[in-house]
Amino acid sequence: MKFVMFSAAHWFAISVIVIAAILLFTMKNRINPHQKWERFVAVTLLIMDLGYHVWLISSNRWRLMDSLPLELCSLSLLAAIVLLWTGNRKLYPFVFFAGIGGALQAVLTPVLDLSYPHFRYFHFFYTHGGIILTALYFTWVKGYRPTFKGVLQTMLTLNLLLPVIFLVNLLVEGNYMFLRMKPVNGSLLDYLGPYPWYLLSLEAVAFLMFSILWLLFRNYKSK
């Protein structure tokens, strides 16, 4: 079944993620953070993503031009998995800022062709929701706190990655991170001007979004 933006299946996925976030916040003082469960979630995210690549290969959909883990959310997912497994604080800013910023945009305007009950539907929303909930878990339950330095570090990391990904795009004729064109089914980029100017606009939007996240969460104190 073809995925339709803001259909019942889309709203259901959004609702599940929102409800999970609300439950995480309301139960934050009752949750006993334990590495065993954090690693369990990390494994489920990894298995789900590996399953996605197995499906791509088995259905002859895997291609260098669009199947490498070079999208912002793919990179954020890998960082979230390692963060869950290790608790490494150096990964937290990227997962929090780039992860929430990218996954939130992806959940609201998915680049997705298959809907419920296809595996791809569950993979897309489980992994993107997992990124968001991982960032919130480490903030609300573990007590990690976003900083403005983290905003700058995340912007620097992204700008160091962009030339590399742009080169990969040229080599494989891809469009990772939408560095060559906008997504065809509509997204936030439609409001940021034509190519290549929307890339500059996106830098400003990313910085603004990261700064808003920092302002919203900087004074939060964990249990």
Side-chain angles (χ1 to χ4, degrees), residues 109-177:
T109 58
V111 180
L112 185 62
D113 57 344
L114 297 168
S115 189
Y116 177 89
H118 197 277
F119 166 77
R120 172 58 174 150
Y121 169 87
F122 291 102
H123 164 265
F124 184 91
F125 288 107
Y126 183 74
T127 54
H128 287 83
I131 294 168
I132 295 170
L133 293 172
T134 295
L136 295 178
Y137 168 81
F138 274 87
T139 303
W140 289 337
V141 179
K142 300 281 283 185
Y144 291 29
R145 186 176 299 182
T147 64
F148 188 70
K149 180 181 178 181
V151 172
L152 299 180
Q153 288 174 336
T154 304
M155 290 297 299
L156 177 61
T157 300
L158 290 174
N159 280 279
L160 290 175
L161 286 170
L162 290 182
V164 177
I165 295 175
F166 186 80
L167 178 59
V168 173
N169 280 335
L170 293 179
L171 293 174
V172 302
E173 298 184 353
N175 189 34
Y176 295 108
M177 287 198 182

Side-chain angles (χ1 to χ4, degrees), residues 179-196:
L179 295 182
R180 297 180 71 193
M181 66 184 74
K182 301 177 184 179
V184 295
N185 62 339
S187 74
L188 173 66
L189 301 183
D190 292 335
Y191 303 96
L192 301 182
Y195 180 86

Side-chain angles (χ1 to χ4, degrees), residues 4-195:
V4 178
M5 197 178 300
F6 301 121
S7 61
H10 188 192
W11 280 116
F12 175 76
I14 293 174
S15 299
V16 169
I17 294 171
V18 170
I19 291 171
I22 292 172
L23 289 174
L24 180 63
F25 180 76
T26 56
M27 299 179 65
K28 63 185 183 298
N29 293 324
R30 302 178 185 177
I31 297 174
N32 182 22
H34 198 291
Q35 190 179 55
K36 178 175 68 174
W37 292 109
E38 293 164 9
R39 290 187 170 185
F40 172 77
V41 175
V43 170
T44 65
L45 289 170
L46 180 60
I47 290 174
M48 182 67 82
D49 205 45
L50 290 175
Y52 169 60
H53 286 274
V54 170
W55 169 71
L56 286 175
I57 294 169
S58 64
S59 58
N60 294 318
R61 288 177 172 234
W62 201 97
R63 303 178 299 178
L64 282 173
M65 66 185 300
D66 57 14
S67 300
L68 296 173
L70 295 178
E71 300 290 1
L72 178 59
C73 288
S74 300
L75 297 170
S76 298
L77 177 62
L78 293 174
I81 290 171
V82 177
L83 176 61
L84 283 163
W85 190 267
T86 66
N88 191 330
R89 288 181 177 270
K90 292 182 179 179
L91 293 169
Y92 170 75
F94 188 87
V95 175
F96 184 85
F97 294 115
I100 292 180
L104 192 60
Q105 147 77 1
V107 166
L108 293 176
T109 58
V111 180
L112 185 62
D113 57 344
L114 297 168
S115 189
Y116 177 89
H118 197 277
F119 166 77
R120 172 58 174 150
Y121 169 87
F122 291 102
H123 164 265
F124 184 91
F125 288 107
Y126 183 74
T127 54
H128 287 83
I131 294 168
I132 295 170
L133 293 172
T134 295
L136 295 178
Y137 168 81
F138 274 87
T139 303
W140 289 337
V141 179
K142 300 281 283 185
Y144 291 29
R145 186 176 299 182
T147 64
F148 188 70
K149 180 181 178 181
V151 172
L152 299 180
Q153 288 174 336
T154 304
M155 290 297 299
L156 177 61
T157 300
L158 290 174
N159 280 279
L160 290 175
L161 286 170
L162 290 182
V164 177
I165 295 175
F166 186 80
L167 178 59
V168 173
N169 280 335
L170 293 179
L171 293 174
V172 302
E173 298 184 353
N175 189 34
Y176 295 108
M177 287 198 182
F178 306 117
L179 295 182
R180 297 180 71 193
M181 66 184 74
K182 301 177 184 179
V184 295
N185 62 339
S187 74
L188 173 66
L189 301 183
D190 292 335
Y191 303 96
L192 301 182
Y195 180 86

